[in-house]
Amino acid sequence: VQDKNALHLYSVNGKYLGSETLKEEVSDMCVTGEYIVMGSLQGFLSIRDLYSLSLSISPLAMRLPIHCISVTKEYSHILVGLEDGKLIIVGVGKPAEV
């Protein structure tokens, strides 16, 4: 069985830098600073390092397909739109700051 979901990283000049196989189908993503924030149809919110593509934290289960992702301009919160119309707000930072 061939894995059809992958994240590929290229330089600005088009040089291939690496890839990471994904278990989920990505429904939305945004690049924020040095991180990639991704949502999947399987309901997982993932944050990956932009340069290594490795997970920065364990994926957060939202239990429903994620339709859209946005990060506030202060990088303090991630806004997650779910299939049922709910908006989930996830605080970013150390647990004491959230």
Side-chain angles (χ1 to χ4, degrees), residues 43 62-68 80-88:
M62 298 288 150
R63 296 196 170 93
L64 286 170
I66 295 173
H67 278 221
C68 61
V80 182
L82 301 180
E83 183 177 60
D84 65 355
K86 289 186 176 131
L87 177 66
I88 306 296

Side-chain angles (χ1 to χ4, degrees), residues 27-97:
S27 53
D28 196 17
M29 68 166 42
C30 62
V31 176
T32 304
E34 297 184 358
Y35 297 97
I36 303 169
V37 182
M38 299 189 315
S40 71
L41 294 179
Q42 287 70 27
F44 288 98
L45 176 67
S46 303
I47 300 173
R48 293 181 175 270
D49 180 85
L50 179 59
Y51 304 105
S52 70
L53 301 181
S54 60
L55 285 168
S56 296
I57 61 164
S58 296
L60 301 172
M62 298 288 150
R63 296 196 170 93
L64 286 170
I66 295 173
H67 278 221
C68 61
I69 299 255
S70 184
V71 179
T72 60
K73 66 180 179 179
E74 303 86 16
Y75 306 135
S76 59
H77 295 83
I78 301 170
L79 310 176
V80 182
L82 301 180
E83 183 177 60
D84 65 355
K86 289 186 176 131
L87 177 66
I88 306 296
I89 300 172
V90 180
V92 177
K94 299 182 183 103
E97 299 171 355

Side-chain angles (χ1 to χ4, degrees), residues 19-33:
S19 65
E20 187 72 31
T21 301
L22 304 175
K23 294 183 177 90
E24 301 99 28
E25 293 176 72
V26 176
S27 53
D28 196 17
M29 68 166 42
C30 62
V31 176
T32 304

